Amino acid sequence: MSPRVVPVYTHIDKLLKDSVHISFTSDIWSADACPMSLLSLTAHFIDSNFERHNIVLHCQDFTGSHSVEALVNAFSDMFQSWGIQRENNHAILTDNAKNMQKAMRDTYFPGLPCTLSSLLCMRGYCPSKVFGISKPQGDALLLRPYM
């Protein structure tokens, strides 16, 4: 770890350890212009001074299969690297992909599917129409400007 990063890491680590409940968001991002996928983990919590924090804890290259097993391993590693215990995890908001939902169940972390995506689809407004998202292969969603 770079010496310039250590104070930032130490500060974030202290904030996380002082928090009783932490919620998370996570997603896998892909793009046509780049052959890689990125898996992210963002923490959301309110500290003892009632200040809201949104901190990107992890963003990693996620090449290969987006299988449940690969996701379980990645999430376990991400939480372990920050020392986050299940008791402190309030919820993890992910997309509605079945592999993400099963990975949350298999890691015993409380996963929540994205309600907005579900509501839009129930009303006939699939995200692909609203946000210009296409699904050319597998489970990878590609975000494009909607024109």
Side-chain angles (χ1 to χ4, degrees):
M1 184 182 306
S2 167
R4 292 176 24 191
V5 176
V6 171
V8 175
Y9 176 85
T10 304
H11 177 69
I12 292 171
D13 190 52
K14 181 176 178 358
L15 286 172
L16 291 172
K17 291 207 179 346
D18 291 346
S19 298
V20 177
H21 296 291
I22 307 169
S23 294
F24 299 91
T25 53
S26 183
D27 202 358
I28 300 174
W29 294 94
S30 303
D32 283 335
C34 183
M36 71 180 346
S37 296
L38 295 173
L39 175 64
S40 67
L41 181 69
T42 305
H44 308 273
F45 58 94
I46 297 173
D47 67 17
S48 59
N49 296 321
F50 294 101
E51 291 183 40
R52 185 177 61 160
H53 296 274
N54 303 302
I55 303 170
V56 176
L57 298 178
H58 209 92
C59 190
Q60 72 180 49
D61 183 18
F62 197 67
T63 54
S65 173
H66 295 179
S67 68
V68 171
E69 183 180 348
L71 286 166
V72 165
N73 291 335
F75 280 113
S76 296
D77 290 347
M78 288 189 285
F79 285 111
Q80 185 177 13
S81 72
W82 284 99
I84 297 168
Q85 304 298 315
R86 285 186 179 86
E87 308 78 63
N88 296 62
N89 185 336
H90 181 254
I92 304 173
L93 180 67
T94 64
D95 62 19
N96 292 335
K98 291 182 183 188
N99 59 340
M100 287 290 261
Q101 297 306 308
K102 178 135 177 36
M104 292 302 98
R105 287 192 304 272
D106 287 0
T107 56
Y108 302 103
F109 284 113
L112 296 171
C114 179
T115 304
L116 177 60
S117 180
S118 297
L119 290 173
L120 287 171
C121 285
M122 287 181 350
R123 299 276 314 199
Y125 300 103
C126 272
S128 60
K129 294 177 186 172
V130 176
F131 300 112
I133 298 172
S134 64
K135 191 172 181 181
Q137 58 188 0
D139 288 335
L141 291 176
L142 304 179
L143 183 60
R144 297 190 182 125
Y146 188 69
M147 296 181 187

